[in-house]
Amino acid sequence: MLDRIELAEKNFKTEIESEIDLEKLEEVRIKYLGRKGLFTELFEEFKQLPKEEKPKYGQVLNKAKSLAQKLFDELKSKLESSEAEQKEYIDLTLAGRGVNLGSKHILTQTLDEIKGIFKGLGFSIYEGPELESDHNNFEMLNFPADHPARDMQDTFFVNDNFLLRTHTSPVQVRLMENTKPPIRALMPGKVYRNEAISAKSYCLFHQVEGLYVDEDVTFAELKGTLVAFLKQFFGEDVKYRFRPSFFPFTEPSAEVDVWWQQKGKEGKWLEILGCGMVDPNVLENVKIDNEKYVGYAFGMGVERIAMLKYGVGDIRVFFDNDKRFLEQF
Ligand code: DAH
């Protein structure tokens, strides 16, 4: 029996020392250590031995079996960890993944450009809230309650007294109430209109308001400033026109159109801003002496002028967040 124990141990060692994978190792385990394995058989045989012979074989058999078990456990964990390593194999020759850098939204870029041009013309930047009082959005700007001009701007009311501002003009009111002339400021921001959404209008858009109040401001200066802006923004050969118009808070008032020409299509005039001389009533409302001071003001639609400059045919694309559009700028 001793010979057979020795032989089993020797064979077991040879079998696990040959190139082996986890599957074959399991076969070896069953063959030697399984319920019907060689060592189990030897133990069965051992049980049958006469009592006095047992000590002679017991120790050897136990030792051989635990050694086999130990060698098996070691090899198994080694094989398992190398298999895991193989799964994590990193191919260092693969090209790296590109880092996607974001960029400023085209409206932000347009706003930055407008601000830059007007800063160069001596304007400072001033901002006001998007949630505004009816008082500042309309009343102070010479739109009395029930005035038909209120219909020019469909309004999102929050309650009887508050609304989402329909234009950036109420920021003029805030500024004039808090500052003594001379005032020369640019007021950019979001505005809201309860309008049917289409290629031309959206419920939200951006405006840039301008205001200059001093002792002898003229309409000619207003025109000169706006033309300087148009030329810097669109280029020297921009085609524009000033057209008489009406706003409750300016007198006289005008609108500026820029010629919109898409390839293969008929060109047309597109309105980009309203402007005029600040109505004396507005100056009186904000307690600025309207005998001494005059002012001009203007308000332009940022989406409109971005559409013109970059040939965008539908205002909604600015808000869709479609990367195919955004990545072009
Ligand atoms: N607030 C006007 C609008 O949203 C635009 C405007 C017109 C602003 C004339 C002005 C202005 O400051 O003088 O339609």
Side-chain angles (χ1 to χ4, degrees), residues 132-147 150 157 160-161 163 166-167 170 173 177 248-249 281-286:
E132 191 47 283
S133 60
D134 182 282
H135 184 72
N136 283 343
N137 194 86
F138 291 123
E139 229 123 302
M140 293 291 276
L141 290 165
N142 212 25
F143 290 83
D146 302 325
H147 191 284
R150 283 181 173 228
F157 281 94
D160 285 347
N161 300 319
L163 44 82
T166 57
H167 51 177
V173 174
E177 279 177 332
F249 39 91
N281 286 348
V282 174
L283 293 176
E284 192 181 311
N285 290 344
V286 294

Side-chain angles (χ1 to χ4, degrees), residues 89-106:
Y89 175 70
I90 297 171
D91 184 352
L92 295 173
T93 66
L94 275 179
R97 282 192 200 121
V99 177
N100 261 334
L101 280 185
S103 59
K104 281 190 181 172
H105 191 282
I106 184 57

Side-chain angles (χ1 to χ4, degrees), residues 141 143 152-153 166-170 172 187 191 193 205 207-211 222 245-255 271 273-278 296-301:
L141 290 165
F143 290 83
M152 288 161 75
Q153 303 178 354
T166 57
H167 51 177
T168 41
S169 305
Q172 286 186 35
M187 296 150 270
V191 303
R193 302 248 177 118
F205 56 99
Q207 283 189 338
V208 170
E209 192 81 14
L211 177 71
L222 168 62
S245 184
F246 169 80
F247 298 100
F249 39 91
T250 44
E251 183 57 37
S253 307
E255 279 176 315
E271 179 222 319
L273 63 84
C275 62
M277 301 307 289
V278 178
Y296 70 60
F298 58 86
M300 64 179 81

